[in-house]
Amino acid sequence: MTPPATPSGPAAPLGPAASPHSAVRVGVVVITRNRRERLLHTLDRLAALPERPPVTVVDNASTDHTAHAVRTRHPGVTLLTPGRNLGAAGRNVGAAALNTPYIAFADDDSWWEPGALAHAARLFDTHPRLALIAAATHVGPAGHPDPLNRLLATSPLGHAPDLPGPSVLGFLACAAVVRRDAFLAAGGFHPLLHFGGEETLLALDLAAAGWGLAHCPQVIARHDPDPGPRTGRTARLLRNELLTLWMRRPLPRALARTWALARACPADPDARSALAAALARLPAALARRRPLPPAVEHSLTTLETPPAPPPHPACPPAPHQGTTPRENTP
């Protein structure tokens, strides 16, 4: 398909240190819930960026006076309060409210390196099929590279000539920049998934529509996650993996994964929780089932097939023995 022309977007007022190019072309959407102090720290970082991006905060029904704190400390930020916890779909609300052609996402514990958004704007401007940039992520105060960076950089999907980096089918939401029109046309983050691995379905839907997704390591996001445990996260990831399979993948794969999860239930409470939650949502998932185009399904199969180990110098190559799905693939 031919991607729509890139909109230019209306001009926006600029601060004294603003970059005239990127300030009107890249906005930032931040979602938050009950992490007021971390959010304020993130907003401080975003306010200090040389690009001076417009920022929209979507407050997912916080009860810790987040909204008041944002209005007091950052009155220039657009604050949206839907009145309920929309989960990852809160990003859709924020993106719809901005009028910039490109949208960078941040969580209340992440922000962008100076210059990253300006570089992202240039990449979108010069690559019209590009819908999503999967940035490099630097973690913690020391800025250590996230292990995901290497997986994205070594994606077996190769490097399409009309994209600025390796093609990928996965990303970290708080380290992604999107073309707004493509993101909204694809439906954004699916509300059925709420939170937990919600990126996969969006990546598949963008690719199914003919858009390109690329890892661009020169675009850098910072992530400073809370070191404490994230209760229920494993179950949510398993649930959403299963729902995504039922919505987009071949039925034999969805059935096989459901059976595997069911077999794990007696010994694994996360599997029990995930399967129960997925089955409750399964009618809604089937109503939204839309199998992927063959080319996208083939790309996924490529990602899920582990690379063959190099042969031992004294031994011939072993015959192919089938495939095993990999976790955290690009």
Side-chain angles (χ1 to χ4, degrees):
M1 85 177 256
T2 302
T6 304
S8 60
L14 305 180
S19 163
H21 175 74
S22 60
V24 298
R25 300 187 69 73
V26 185
V28 179
V29 171
V30 186
I31 55 173
T32 188
R33 187 170 191 269
N34 287 337
R35 297 209 292 183
R36 181 184 61 197
E37 296 308 315
R38 280 184 168 267
L39 172 65
L40 293 175
H41 176 72
T42 286
L43 295 180
D44 290 345
R45 296 281 189 150
L46 294 175
L49 291 178
E51 294 96 330
R52 294 292 193 269
V55 176
T56 293
V57 170
V58 181
D59 181 12
N60 274 329
S62 294
T63 58
D64 63 350
H65 306 292
T66 287
H68 174 75
V70 171
R71 292 188 182 105
T72 301
R73 186 149 146 186
H74 289 280
V77 165
T78 298
L79 177 67
L80 303 178
T81 54
R84 59 192 179 97
N85 185 0
L86 299 176
R91 299 184 184 109
N92 307 347
V93 175
L98 281 166
N99 60 8
T100 54
Y102 314 128
I103 306 290
F105 296 116
D107 290 344
D108 47 27
D109 58 3
S110 72
W111 57 93
W112 292 90
E113 282 281 291
L117 301 183
H119 188 64
R122 290 191 293 270
L123 293 176
F124 280 117
D125 286 346
T126 55
H127 297 85
R129 193 171 70 88
L130 179 66
L132 185 145
I133 291 172
T137 309
H138 293 184
V139 181
H144 296 297
D146 190 300
L148 179 62
N149 295 346
R150 179 172 175 80
L151 285 175
L152 295 171
T154 58
S155 168
L157 299 182
H159 187 159
D162 62 342
L163 294 178
S167 294
V168 296
L169 282 175
F171 61 96
L172 186 65
C174 69
V177 192
V178 298
R179 190 181 299 272
R180 179 179 178 272
D181 284 357
F183 172 79
L184 294 176
F189 291 97
H190 204 293
L192 186 65
L193 303 183
H194 204 254
F195 269 128
E198 69 274 5
E199 296 94 341
T200 300
L201 184 57
L202 174 61
L204 297 181
D205 286 348
L206 286 170
W211 292 99
L213 298 80
H215 174 53
C216 303
Q218 301 86 356
V219 180
I220 299 173
R222 296 295 299 266
H223 190 202
D224 190 19
D226 191 327
R230 303 175 73 176
T231 305
R233 177 168 174 77
T234 298
R236 289 193 297 271
L237 289 170
L238 290 171
R239 177 198 71 196
N240 287 345
E241 177 198 1
L242 194 59
L243 290 171
T244 299
L245 283 165
W246 280 105
M247 283 194 280
R248 297 291 181 267
R249 306 297 302 277
L251 290 176
R253 296 188 69 92
L255 284 166
R257 185 67 183 108
T258 304
W259 175 237
L261 196 61
R263 284 186 299 155
C265 283
D268 187 346
D270 286 325
R272 292 196 296 272
S273 177
L275 185 60
L279 291 176
R281 292 167 172 79
L282 189 56
L286 292 175
R288 295 161 176 81
R289 178 169 170 77
R290 191 170 68 246
L292 296 170
V296 180
E297 179 61 37
H298 180 267
S299 293
L300 269 182
T301 302
T302 299
L303 290 172
E304 292 168 343
T305 304
H312 189 280
C315 301
H320 182 62
Q321 299 294 326
T323 65
T324 302
R326 294 190 306 178
E327 293 184 359
N328 299 322
T329 51

